[in-house]
Amino acid sequence: MSSLARPETAVDQRDIPLVVRASARLAALEAVLVLAIALISQKLEGALETALLALLVGAGLVLVAFLPGVWTRARSLEGIATAAGIGLAAAWIFVVPDIAFQLAGVYTHRWRALGGGSNWWHLPVWWMAGTFLPWMGAWLLANQAARGREPSLAPAVLLASACTGVLGLLAMGIGFPGAGWNVATFGIAFLPGLALATLITGLGARRK
């Protein structure tokens, strides 16, 4: 992971071949993670299921959020926007394995039940989240660079995780519907948590 944070190319990479390759790689990564999560949900239960799901969901959120910004070496709006575009393109490409997973019966009934019995309810949500996460992640990395530091994944992930934990606990504290000590609560909280972390890193940042 540390080597991924220090590629030796110029900043704000936006060339089409890179975008296509990065989108395909990210979509493949998403497909592998979703398949693993779905199989674990089918085959396991209890504490082991929760622990493995937390690990995979957490890893997936971090990778989707930050890899596009790393690949584009986002430092300005152009690089940030390109990272978000990679996320959106990957989410579109993911539709192909998603259809295959549905035809193979990989998803459990509870997944369909969340959408009122629809097999396709999650796709618009996937597209929006798949764009939002790389957008915020690239912006956070760009904020690090604007402070005169080499962008680093470790502090970015730690800050986003801390913000996620605070917001997840806050949601439970105020009785937000469905909030509890579960993977879904903190997985969803990662989205505003990442946005909050991006806001924090942007405070006092000096841009050229």
Side-chain angles (χ1 to χ4, degrees), residues 10-16 18-19 68-87 131 134-139 141-143 207-208:
V11 299
D12 291 319
Q13 293 291 292
R14 294 178 290 155
D15 58 289
I16 297 301
L18 180 144
V19 172
V70 170
W71 290 334
T72 63
R73 282 185 60 83
R75 299 293 185 273
S76 68
L77 291 178
E78 288 81 2
I80 296 169
T82 303
I86 289 172
T131 307
W135 175 37
M136 288 291 105
W139 200 342
L141 294 174
N143 285 342
R207 299 191 179 278
K208 297 180 180 180

Side-chain angles (χ1 to χ4, degrees), residues 16-66:
I16 297 301
L18 180 144
V19 172
V20 172
R21 290 194 305 271
S23 299
R25 282 186 288 175
L26 189 62
L29 176 63
E30 292 171 350
V32 170
L33 287 169
V34 168
L35 179 60
I37 289 169
L39 292 177
I40 288 172
S41 298
Q42 280 189 2
K43 306 298 183 182
L44 300 177
E45 59 184 20
L48 180 58
E49 178 193 12
T50 299
L52 290 176
L53 288 180
L55 179 63
L56 289 176
V57 170
L61 288 169
V62 167
L63 292 173
V64 171
F66 292 109

